[in-house]
């Protein structure tokens, strides 16, 4: 079969939906683990005889209870009789405790070892138990040591028929310290294989299911922060993820188209409105009454200022200006020099060597709007400071004017909010777009603008910009 045909067949066999792929993943994991456990139990089934040992142990206990009732001189004959007539009974009288009780390491015992020293009935006690080791040092079957009421020790080997056929008991040798006491556990291999299977299938699920979602989340977070140009994502993964990625790609294209249309519309509006305003200005020069001419010119300038501020606000996010490295201290110092002679005093506390990547003219416009607001509504002095905090660069403009009530601060960041209830404004001053324009510029640079209260009274505008570059 050609390679292309095989790949096409595999794509058709793989479930398309997210829910179906997750169900297949769960089924494969459970099936793989179950198969490994079943295979392990099948292979190691002859190594663990816990069930048969229980019945053999019960038979030995009955004989030991009979030995307790007999005279000491008759016990050896009874043990020989039972050892000869019953293939599962292996009993032995002892003169002292076997050394294996002390030499066999507890690590060689099975995980669920049921034989613990205890008093039984009629003076009979289980004094100890240990697993019999084969020639390779592996545990085979348990050996129990009982004490009768007169102190006689009786050993019971629960090896059954197999132990008798192989010479009653395997030759015991002192075991070497086992460096990995659990390595022989029948559960170790299934657990390791299960972990490997789950890990492999998890990697597959991450690559085929989770990664497209992560790429989509990352693209949705970064879209518009540095550019509005669409960056199409690869439409891969389950059908639901592919549908979401396709919708996101269409959304990027639509937003880009809308913003470009808005930019062209704003350029046309600006041109169409400024042309008649220029004609009005020329006609006002012909008006003989000086008072009427000056008042008309003031209204005309106010209209031009409002138009320019509205266009600047609506342009945010659609600027084609490239991003450059901007030294914050140099920029703020330059702005303070430009406002020299306007009646506002600056107190600068600037950290040198702090740079950001941004659009220079937009950052100038944002900072100038904040300085203009402080000059109009708060007066001197205006404190400007910058510093670094964790992964952000902070710029603060702190005035000592009347401030803004905490309940009005969020509203003041909305466009066309002039804050008449919070600050005294003269007629014709501003269009209510200074703060909202500054916030739009800062947010387009991945930052944040906050209105805080200045210590001692006043307003502090804090700008947080990402520390990049």
């Amino acid at each position: 079969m050609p390679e292309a045909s095989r790949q096409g067949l595999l794509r058709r066999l793989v479930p398309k939906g997210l829910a179906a792929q997750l169900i297949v993943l769960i089924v494969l994991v459970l099936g793989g683990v179950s198969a490994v456990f079943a295979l392990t139990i099948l292979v190691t089934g002859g190594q663990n005889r816990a069930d048969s040992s229980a019945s053999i142990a019960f038979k030995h206990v009955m004989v030991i209870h009979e030995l307790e009732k007999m005279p000491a001189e008759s016990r050896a004959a009874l043990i020989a009789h039972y050892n000869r007539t019953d293939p599962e009974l292996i009993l032995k009288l002892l003169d002292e405790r076997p050394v294996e009780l002390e030499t066999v390491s507890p690590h060689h015992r099975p995980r669920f070892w049921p034989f613990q020293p205890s008093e039984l009935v009629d003076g009979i006690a289980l004094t100890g138990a240990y697993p019999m080791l084969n020639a390779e040092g592996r545990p085979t079957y348990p050996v129990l040591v009982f004490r009768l009421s007169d102190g006689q020790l009786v050993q019971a080997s629960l090896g059954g028929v197999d132990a008798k056929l192989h010479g009653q008991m395997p030759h015991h040798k002192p075991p070497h310290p086992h460096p990995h006491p659990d390595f022989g556990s029948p559960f170790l291999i299934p657990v390791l294989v299960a972990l490997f299977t789950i890990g492999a299938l998890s990697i597959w699920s991450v690559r085929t299911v989770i990664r497209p979602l992560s790429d989509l989340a990352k693209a949705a977070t970064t879209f518009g922060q540095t550019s509005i140009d669409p960056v199409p994502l690869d439409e891969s993964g389950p059908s639901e993820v592919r549908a979401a990625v396709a919708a996101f790609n269409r959304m990027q294209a639509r937003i880009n188209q809308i913003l470009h249309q808005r930019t062209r519309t704003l350029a046309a509006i600006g041109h169409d409105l400024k042309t008649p305003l220029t004609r009005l200005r020329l006609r006002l020069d012909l008006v003989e009454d000086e008072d009427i001419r000056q008042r008309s010119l003031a209204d005309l300038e106010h209209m031009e200022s409002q138009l320019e501020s509205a266009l600047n606000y609506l342009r945010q996010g659609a600027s084609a200006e490239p991003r450059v490295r901007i030294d914050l201290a140099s920029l703020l110092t330059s702005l303070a020099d430009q406002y020299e002679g306007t009646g506002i005093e600056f107190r600068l506390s600037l950290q040198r060597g702090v740079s950001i990547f941004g659009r220079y003219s937009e950052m100038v416009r944002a900072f100038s709007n904040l300085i203009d607001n402080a000059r109009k509504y708060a007066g001197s002095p205006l404190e400007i400071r910058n510093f670094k905090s964790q992964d952000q660069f902070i710029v603060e403009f702190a005035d000592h004017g009347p401030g803004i009530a905490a309940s009005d601060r969020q509203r003041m960041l909305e466009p066309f909010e002039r804050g008449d209830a919070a600050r005294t404004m003269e007629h014709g001053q501003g269009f209510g777009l200074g703060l909202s324009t500054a916030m739009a510029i800062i947010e387009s640079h991945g930052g944040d603008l906050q209105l805080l209260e200045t210590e001692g009274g006043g307003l502090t505008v804090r700008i947080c910009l990402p520390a990049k570059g």
Side-chain angles (χ1 to χ4, degrees):
M1 182 182 294
E3 183 67 22
S5 300
R6 286 199 297 268
Q7 292 181 356
L9 178 61
L10 289 176
R11 281 195 294 269
R12 288 193 295 271
L13 291 177
V14 173
K16 301 299 187 295
L18 176 60
Q21 290 189 6
L22 292 177
I23 290 174
V24 170
L25 173 63
I26 295 173
V27 170
L28 288 176
V29 171
L30 294 179
V33 173
S34 301
V36 172
F37 267 101
L39 182 61
T40 304
I41 293 174
L42 180 63
V43 172
T44 62
Q47 297 180 6
N48 189 354
R49 303 179 179 272
D51 294 338
S52 60
S53 296
S55 62
I56 296 174
F58 181 72
K59 187 182 296 186
H60 280 78
V61 169
M62 293 180 65
V63 175
I64 289 173
H65 190 264
E66 186 176 349
L67 291 174
E68 168 65 25
K69 299 177 180 179
M70 296 184 64
E73 60 273 10
S74 303
R75 291 170 181 167
L78 182 63
I79 289 178
H81 169 73
Y82 277 121
N83 285 343
R84 184 176 61 254
T85 58
D86 193 322
E88 292 184 337
L89 289 176
I90 306 176
L91 293 162
K92 180 181 179 181
L93 295 176
L94 301 176
D95 296 328
E96 58 184 9
R97 284 171 58 87
V99 295
E100 288 84 356
L101 291 176
E102 283 74 32
T103 59
V104 175
S105 171
H107 291 310
H108 289 86
R109 296 176 181 175
R111 187 176 299 275
F112 302 104
W113 183 252
F115 306 109
Q116 302 298 329
S118 61
E119 295 290 334
L120 302 179
V121 294
D122 297 335
I124 303 174
L126 176 63
T127 62
Y130 63 92
M132 178 58 63
L133 305 180
N134 60 17
E136 288 78 25
R138 293 184 177 277
T140 56
Y141 52 84
V143 178
L144 311 182
V145 179
F146 294 90
R147 187 190 69 243
L148 304 181
S149 60
D150 60 359
Q152 176 65 55
L153 297 178
V154 182
Q155 177 177 287
S157 300
L158 308 186
V161 177
D162 291 342
K164 277 194 172 182
L165 292 177
H166 292 84
Q168 192 174 14
M169 292 188 299
H171 174 69
H172 173 77
K173 64 177 182 178
H176 298 287
H178 203 300
H180 301 289
D182 289 330
F183 189 78
S185 172
F187 296 101
L188 180 62
I189 295 178
V191 168
L192 292 178
V193 175
L195 291 176
F196 175 79
T197 305
I198 293 174
L201 293 175
S202 299
I203 294 174
W204 171 79
S205 67
V206 168
R207 290 181 59 85
T208 61
V209 180
I210 307 301
R211 187 176 62 180
L213 288 175
S214 301
D215 294 341
L216 176 60
K218 182 179 179 180
T221 301
T222 58
F223 178 67
Q225 289 186 352
T226 58
S227 174
I228 59 169
D229 295 329
V231 181
L233 297 176
D234 182 28
E235 298 178 11
S236 61
S239 57
E240 296 89 346
V241 178
R242 293 200 303 271
V245 171
F248 179 76
N249 288 337
R250 292 193 299 270
M251 182 195 70
Q252 289 186 92
R254 286 198 298 267
I255 291 176
N256 181 263
Q257 183 181 9
I258 290 172
L259 290 177
H260 280 296
Q261 289 177 349
R262 190 183 72 171
T263 301
R264 291 193 294 269
T265 302
L266 291 175
I269 291 175
H271 178 270
D272 293 343
L273 290 180
K274 287 182 178 179
T275 299
L277 289 177
T278 302
R279 289 200 299 266
L280 285 175
R281 183 180 294 277
L282 293 175
R283 290 172 184 170
L284 286 175
D285 290 338
L286 302 177
V287 175
E288 296 181 356
D289 191 314
E290 181 68 19
D291 182 59
I292 294 177
R293 185 170 67 253
Q294 293 299 326
R295 283 186 293 162
S296 299
L297 286 173
D299 289 339
L300 189 60
E301 291 176 355
H302 178 58
M303 291 173 59
E304 291 177 335
S305 175
Q306 289 182 333
L307 175 62
E308 187 66 27
S309 64
L311 293 176
N312 287 336
Y313 172 74
L314 294 174
R315 283 194 198 102
Q316 307 312 318
S319 174
E321 180 185 356
R323 290 175 178 255
V324 297
R325 185 181 293 274
I326 303 173
D327 186 279
L328 285 177
S330 299
L331 174 59
L332 295 171
T333 302
S334 174
L335 286 175
D337 293 339
Q338 292 178 17
Y339 278 86
E340 185 178 359
T342 59
I344 184 170
E345 175 189 353
F346 291 96
R347 296 179 181 176
L348 304 180
S349 177
L350 304 178
Q351 179 179 344
R352 301 292 174 178
V354 175
S355 300
I356 64 169
F357 278 99
R359 304 181 183 95
Y360 185 85
S361 63
E362 291 190 359
M363 297 304 298
V364 170
R365 184 182 301 122
F367 292 162
S368 297
N369 285 354
L370 301 179
I371 294 175
D372 288 335
N373 279 351
R375 182 171 59 88
K376 292 176 183 178
Y377 308 130
S380 295
L382 176 62
E383 301 175 6
I384 304 178
R385 50 185 173 265
N386 76 302
F387 54 91
K388 184 175 182 180
S389 175
Q390 296 180 352
D391 58 345
Q392 291 183 320
F393 291 135
I394 311 297
V395 182
E396 292 184 343
F397 297 81
D399 64 48
H400 297 276
I404 299 178
S407 58
D408 293 330
R409 290 172 190 164
Q410 188 61 37
R411 179 177 61 86
M412 287 297 297
L413 295 174
E414 299 294 328
F416 308 108
E417 285 290 344
R418 298 179 57 169
D420 300 291
R423 294 184 175 197
T424 302
M425 296 182 61
E426 297 179 4
H427 173 68
Q429 289 191 348
F431 206 19
L433 291 171
L435 284 175
S436 55
T437 299
M439 184 175 70
I441 293 173
I442 298 303
E443 288 182 345
S444 70
H445 286 74
D448 183 36
L449 186 146
Q450 305 169 9
L451 301 182
L452 308 172
E453 183 176 357
T454 304
E455 185 176 355
L459 178 69
T460 295
V461 181
R462 172 177 291 177
I463 293 175
C464 304
L465 294 167
K468 295 180 180 179

